[in-house]
Amino acid sequence: MGQNEEGGGDDGLEVRVRGQVQGVGFRPFVWQLARARGLRGEVLNDAAGVLIRVAGADLDGFLRALRAEAPPLARVDAIEAVPARVEAEGFVIAASAGGVVATRVVPDAATCPECLAEIRGEGRRRGYAFTNCTHCGPRFSILRELPYDRARTSMVGFLMCPDCLAEYGDPADRRFHAQPIACPMCGPRLWLEVDGAEVAGDAVAGAAALLASGGILGVKGLGGFHLACDARNGAALARLRARKRRPGKPFALMATEAMAEGFAVLGAADRALLRDPAAPVVLLPSRGVLPEGVAPGMATLGVMLPYTPLHHLLLEAFAGPLVMTSGNLSGEPQVIGNDAARDKLSGFVDGFLMHDREILRRLDDSVERADPPMVLRRGRGRAPGTLALPQGFERAPQVLAMGGQVKAAICLLKDGQALLSHHLGDLDDALTHEEFGRAITDHAALFDHRAELVAVDLHPGYRATQAGLAMGLPVETVQHHHAHLASCLADALWPLDGGPVAGIVLDGTGFGPDGTIWGGELLLVDWCGFERVAHLHPAPLPGGEAAAREPWRNALVRLDAAGLSDLADRLFADRPRAVVRRAVAAGVNAPMASSAGRLFDAVAACLGLCPDRQSYEGEAAMRLEALPGVGEPYPFAGLDPAPMFRALAADLVAGVAPGVMAERFHLGLARAFCAPARALWAEGRAQAVALTGGCFQNARLLRACLGELEGVPVLRHRAVPANDGGLALGQALVAAARHIGAAEAP
């Protein structure tokens, strides 16, 4: 009998189950399955997954049921069975074993219906904020190392009471070997803290009262602290924005599904994503009934359902939607420790809802969209879920990819899987850079990863690149936009021998092999290399990095290039135009760039959208996307936007609505790039068209491109961010492909 899912005979089987099978109730599931069929043997966790030794009748049916009837949070990648002699009378759950780590860590999961009913019921866990079972609760955020057992989590200091111990030891109970199991008698404790002192009485009721009075509350969640306030209270929103110095960036909201229906439009796909065990922040169309301070200038709202018992209890006590935004100083990582919260967040909040279970791993909330489906930020609930590698990468070495400078994330390749880390942040921040270093060490230890090869971005100034070069391992350098496209190919499981693809890459900036700044590219790409077929007509970035912060600078140079200097003088009369023009003419701090992101900024500034300064990355483009309107595409001359600006100028003079001009720009840009990409496919030079880069977080642009490419095979992101959060995955697979190619070369 080979390595497959078929088995039988009297001698028994040794069965290896690989995948997401620890911490999800898989062992009790196997125990119940075996007992129901009268089988004998044992099941245990080890570093490679779940190991089963089983004998008896109907082993074929047992193997089929392992996959077909697996617990809700389980993901079975492979079931391997070999003949084995099994000496056993009954069927037992044996102690965990160690060994080389090859299993998968389970992401934190939202409260299941059974636990939710329990905290609302009359039993001993009524109102208990840390109720969980094998179907839900904390996992990755509390784990020190594998195998996943209580002694290796931050629950180690909470000794189980007799009742919890009985549940933990009963294979028929859904809490059998639920490592974070707890109750009010023995588990973590919750309290409300104001001005450094614990407030007597019901902590949740006190917190709800503080919120109802317009206060701001620090809430310790699964992966870090949030700052919460009443989403319906404009004064509270303004106070939170002033205290956090966050003037415009949208706040995430937490609400029940029924509450969300009152302020957002929910489709079937939205509801399904909201209810997913990952409980991500889901971008939903706004009904326009909440104060503008929730998400200034946006047509969408980021909404998540309560995903812990604490959140359920707080929302029920408060009876309304809450802002639930990351608890951090501007630019710094989210706070996870109680003392750090008191030190850093006390100036923001009027009180803390705290507990004494340690958060071992910082995890920002995942941010996603259901229609069209995309992941904008990979975090709590998704990480550390692994991704299967495309066909042909079975022989990939163990690779560590370092990612980029912003939206940093690392990626590890091992055993035919890619582990793309959670969002780490901007490496320009010193604390985030420290966190980045810890994440590399942490992930390598947690997954027993021994890198043979390091993949880095081409930009020598990226801190991630510098860290990779300093490791003393063989290094593969991967151009930024090639990595973006490779991440899209990986997300689509494009085979190693799938042939070339026409790749449209639209983002802010990336270092090109010619030493210039790229960002609006049409590449003919395969796993190992690329050809630059066409690119957005370049323009200077006046002031360098200042151009990314001040959209008017980009508008000035684009209007000047289109022969519209008079319009630029009228639109930006109070800006230092002459100084900027002299610097551009002299080539002083004005590098040429084909950046699509800066083109979005230029158009937004022409329409009066935050022309002076963006208060957060992408603000101008997001406000441009949010303007409602319909219209025909603006013209481009190939990939030169000068005709587009001339048509936009005419519309400005004619008083055309800003939303119409926004629509015409999106459609024109999509047509300009998709026409030559379609031609590459039609000529047989490309097997498909791939869409990637941070600009494709823009649903309006994505839909426009999909419309232009109707009838063409299109590859796009679904589980991996199109932005720099997916960059490391692309780097890792390019490096692996080159390694495989070199090994197979004659």
Side-chain angles (χ1 to χ4, degrees):
M1 188 180 305
Q3 302 280 312
N4 54 52
E5 296 187 23
E6 300 302 321
D10 295 331
D11 290 339
L13 298 172
E14 181 171 282
V15 182
R16 161 68 61 203
V17 186
R18 302 186 188 275
Q20 186 170 290
V21 290
Q22 290 191 14
V24 296
F26 205 87
R27 288 175 298 172
F29 156 69
V30 172
W31 179 85
Q32 292 172 356
L33 202 62
R35 303 259 299 199
R37 285 168 168 74
L39 305 179
R40 64 184 190 278
E42 65 178 3
V43 59
L44 58 99
N45 277 349
D46 65 8
V50 167
L51 183 64
I52 307 166
R53 299 182 180 96
V54 61
D58 192 23
L59 293 180
D60 289 345
F62 172 78
L63 290 174
R64 287 192 295 270
L66 283 179
R67 186 185 296 277
E69 302 173 20
L73 295 183
R75 284 177 56 189
V76 176
D77 290 340
I79 300 174
E80 304 158 0
V82 296
R85 187 171 183 81
V86 178
E87 301 287 348
E89 294 298 323
F91 196 92
V92 299
I93 297 176
S96 296
V100 177
V101 176
T103 191
R104 184 179 300 174
V105 181
V106 181
D108 301 86
T111 307
C112 70
E114 292 84 0
C115 284
L116 187 55
E118 207 169 350
I119 66 173
R120 291 170 173 165
E122 297 299 328
R124 65 193 179 93
R125 290 191 175 89
R126 176 178 174 80
Y128 185 55
F130 306 96
T131 300
N132 65 83
C133 70
T134 53
H135 299 159
C136 68
R139 299 291 197 277
F140 189 48
S141 61
I142 63 168
L143 180 66
R144 292 190 190 278
E145 60 183 352
L146 288 172
Y148 176 66
D149 285 315
R150 191 179 182 94
R152 296 176 175 88
T153 73
S154 59
M155 289 297 296
V156 64
F158 298 97
L159 300 180
M160 284 182 272
C161 67
D163 287 337
C164 285
L165 193 59
E167 293 170 327
Y168 184 86
D170 181 0
D173 195 287
R174 80 177 195 279
R175 292 196 169 90
F176 178 75
H177 282 217
Q179 306 308 331
I181 187 173
C183 77
M185 292 295 296
C186 63
R189 188 178 70 88
L190 184 71
W191 69 91
L192 177 65
E193 188 173 302
V194 175
D195 295 329
E198 184 174 338
V199 177
D202 185 309
V204 172
L210 185 152
L211 291 164
S213 69
I216 298 167
L217 180 71
V219 181
K220 188 177 183 181
L222 273 182
F225 275 80
H226 286 107
L227 303 178
C229 74
D230 184 353
R232 303 161 299 187
N233 186 327
L237 292 164
R239 191 157 47 250
L240 177 55
R241 289 200 176 278
R243 290 181 183 179
K244 200 179 178 186
R245 298 178 183 175
R246 184 173 168 174
K249 192 172 184 180
F251 286 141
L253 300 171
M254 181 174 282
T256 66
E257 196 171 322
M259 292 174 189
E261 288 173 342
F263 58 77
V265 180
L266 276 64
D270 300 314
R271 294 179 192 277
L273 187 55
L274 285 167
R275 297 169 186 171
D276 188 281
V281 175
V282 180
L283 299 184
L284 303 171
S286 173
R287 294 188 184 275
V289 299
L290 289 178
E292 175 73 5
V294 170
M298 296 296 109
T300 57
L301 299 171
V303 183
M304 57 184 157
L305 300 186
Y307 55 84
T308 70
L310 185 156
H311 293 127
H312 280 284
L313 294 167
L314 182 60
L315 272 184
E316 289 175 9
F318 179 68
L322 293 171
V323 161
M324 200 68 73
T325 190
S326 178
N328 64 302
L329 298 179
S330 180
E332 289 190 4
Q334 187 177 20
V335 170
I336 61 173
N338 292 353
D339 288 341
R342 295 181 183 108
D343 178 49
K344 292 177 178 285
L345 304 181
S346 290
F348 297 171
V349 304
D350 301 300
F352 288 104
L353 192 55
M354 282 187 170
H355 59 77
D356 55 357
R357 183 178 66 204
E358 187 179 4
I359 298 171
L360 296 180
R361 202 162 280 102
R362 178 180 288 106
L363 293 167
D364 288 291
D365 297 311
S366 294
V367 180
E368 306 183 15
R369 194 192 299 267
D371 181 24
M374 66 176 72
V375 173
L376 290 87
R377 184 172 72 196
R378 182 177 164 87
R380 174 201 49 77
R382 297 298 182 200
T386 56
L387 304 161
L389 300 186
Q391 183 180 355
F393 284 90
E394 296 80 8
R395 300 176 305 285
Q398 292 195 33
V399 179
L400 169 63
M402 305 296 282
Q405 184 75 359
V406 297
K407 296 181 175 63
I410 60 172
C411 184
L412 286 66
L413 296 192
K414 180 182 176 182
D415 297 333
Q417 300 282 325
L419 174 71
L420 178 62
S421 80
H422 53 284
H423 169 81
L424 297 170
D426 185 345
L427 297 186
D428 283 331
D429 175 74
L431 291 178
T432 302
H433 189 251
E434 290 178 13
E435 180 81 5
F436 178 76
R438 283 193 294 269
I440 294 171
T441 303
D442 173 46
H443 281 67
L446 192 57
F447 296 92
D448 196 35
H449 187 269
R450 295 174 174 84
E452 305 165 52
L453 188 61
V454 177
V456 300
D457 191 272
L458 181 64
H459 198 304
Y462 280 5
R463 289 189 169 188
T465 298
Q466 294 165 357
L469 293 172
M471 288 182 174
L473 292 168
V475 174
E476 280 287 347
T477 301
V478 184
Q479 197 275 330
H480 191 87
H481 300 96
H482 187 197
H484 267 308
L485 277 166
S487 75
C488 184
L489 299 185
D491 205 350
L493 294 176
W494 189 253
L496 183 58
D497 62 356
V501 169
I504 299 174
V505 197
L506 305 179
D507 68 353
T509 57
F511 192 64
D514 59 358
T516 66
I517 299 171
W518 294 11
E521 310 302 318
L522 175 61
L523 307 179
L524 191 63
V525 66
D526 62 21
W527 284 109
C528 292
F530 65 91
E531 173 191 347
R532 193 186 195 194
V533 177
H535 56 84
L536 191 68
H537 190 77
L541 295 181
E545 292 185 1
R549 297 188 297 269
E550 300 174 15
W552 73 270
R553 293 173 178 265
N554 304 293
L556 179 73
V557 296
R558 285 293 185 181
L559 290 172
D560 283 355
L564 298 167
S565 297
D566 289 348
L567 175 60
D569 290 339
R570 292 198 302 274
L571 291 176
F572 312 116
D574 57 346
R575 315 299 194 278
R577 304 181 314 285
V579 173
V580 168
R581 283 169 170 152
R582 284 196 298 270
V584 168
V588 176
N589 197 19
M592 298 297 288
S594 59
S595 169
R598 301 295 77 80
L599 182 66
F600 271 89
D601 291 348
V603 173
C606 289
L607 301 189
L609 302 175
C610 50
D612 292 335
R613 190 176 186 87
Q614 301 189 82
S615 66
Y616 59 91
E617 183 192 10
E619 180 179 12
M622 290 170 65
R623 287 177 177 263
L624 187 66
E625 178 190 0
L627 292 175
V630 294
E632 293 300 313
Y634 278 137
F636 279 64
L639 292 178
D640 183 353
M644 183 274 297
F645 278 103
R646 288 191 283 268
L648 184 147
D651 280 352
L652 284 171
V653 172
V656 172
V660 172
M661 291 186 281
E663 175 72 352
R664 297 191 69 190
F665 165 68
H666 283 86
L667 294 176
L669 182 65
R671 179 165 294 179
F673 271 94
C674 291
R678 176 186 278 275
L680 288 172
W681 171 76
E683 294 163 5
R685 296 180 64 191
Q687 304 303 306
V689 175
L691 308 175
T692 189
C695 292
F696 280 108
Q697 297 174 112
N698 181 324
R700 195 172 193 172
L701 175 66
L702 177 58
R703 289 191 180 102
C705 286
L706 293 175
E708 291 290 332
L709 293 169
E710 187 174 356
V712 178
V714 176
L715 311 180
R716 47 169 300 244
H717 291 267
R718 294 179 184 273
V720 177
N723 59 43
D724 282 9
L727 204 63
L729 175 65
Q731 293 171 348
L733 274 103
V734 169
R738 291 172 180 169
H739 177 90
I740 293 168
E744 295 179 349

